Amino acid sequence: MEPNANYRSTAGVEGRLREQFVQEEAEGIMVRRTRAVAEREYGDRLRVAPLGATSKQDLSVRPLHDGTHGVAVNPNLRIRDQPRNPASTDLKHAIGEVQEHPGRSWGLKVGTSKAHRTYKHRREDWGLMACLLELPDGYRLNCVGTFGIGCANYWWGRLFS
């Protein structure tokens, strides 16, 4: 896939994505590089993922980096251990256990704003999380985790385990 071949879901929201990327650059969680500079700095570790986008209820847009198809970042992640993440079957089992015991019960749901965007990556890995909104803009490299790159789930899962 060509580096600028983003998915159809980005059509019509490029302006909002660009605004968000500019804001994230100001926050230091994303950097912009020309193609030449990015290729010189990251070489074969430069992977420009095609972007998808999904609109959120607050009218902002969540960029989705396809870390699997073409760039093959996700398939090449090496997991240090084999943590088991809870699945829907685990929730069904927990609800069944609660129903068998009379009395009150409670649950806890944890949510963190921009959780994927809080995990800082090593500078040498930024090239693995690159994207291109439109050609004149240059490449944007994520300095933190992003939606579509599997390692963010791994680290948050370890933290909450």
Side-chain angles (χ1 to χ4, degrees):
M1 188 174 281
E2 291 293 318
N4 61 339
N6 292 324
Y7 293 105
R8 285 185 294 215
S9 59
T10 62
V13 296
E14 297 94 347
R16 287 192 282 165
L17 285 169
R18 183 177 296 102
E19 288 173 12
Q20 183 174 327
F21 289 171
V22 167
Q23 180 182 351
E24 290 183 351
E25 288 170 22
E27 294 172 11
I29 61 176
M30 187 176 254
V31 295
R32 190 182 330 192
R33 299 283 187 265
T34 65
R35 180 179 183 160
V37 169
E39 286 176 347
R40 186 171 52 248
E41 187 171 353
Y42 294 99
D44 64 349
R45 288 180 57 85
L46 179 63
R47 310 283 175 81
V48 183
L51 278 179
T54 183
S55 295
K56 298 180 351 183
Q57 288 182 350
D58 65 0
L59 302 179
S60 65
V61 178
R62 174 175 291 156
L64 306 169
H65 297 255
D66 185 353
T68 301
H69 301 97
V71 296
V73 172
N74 288 339
N76 288 301
L77 290 174
R78 297 295 172 245
I79 304 300
R80 299 177 188 196
D81 50 22
Q82 293 296 315
R84 185 174 178 279
N85 292 319
S88 60
T89 53
D90 297 307
L91 178 60
K92 288 178 185 177
H93 178 75
I95 290 172
E97 287 288 321
V98 168
Q99 288 176 340
E100 289 179 13
H101 297 79
R104 294 181 184 234
S105 58
W106 60 276
L108 176 66
K109 178 182 175 184
V110 177
T112 303
S113 177
K114 294 186 175 185
H116 281 68
R117 307 295 284 155
T118 58
Y119 177 78
K120 295 184 188 293
H121 285 274
R122 300 176 307 176
R123 184 182 180 116
E124 57 264 28
D125 292 334
W126 294 356
L128 297 172
M129 300 177 293
C131 64
L132 178 64
L133 187 55
E134 292 176 331
L135 281 173
D137 286 345
Y139 291 162
R140 287 190 166 88
L141 288 70
N142 287 284
C143 309
V144 297
T146 187
F147 291 94
I149 303 295
C151 54
N153 290 338
Y154 171 77
W155 288 109
W156 278 106
R158 287 180 57 96
L159 175 67
F160 284 105
S161 293

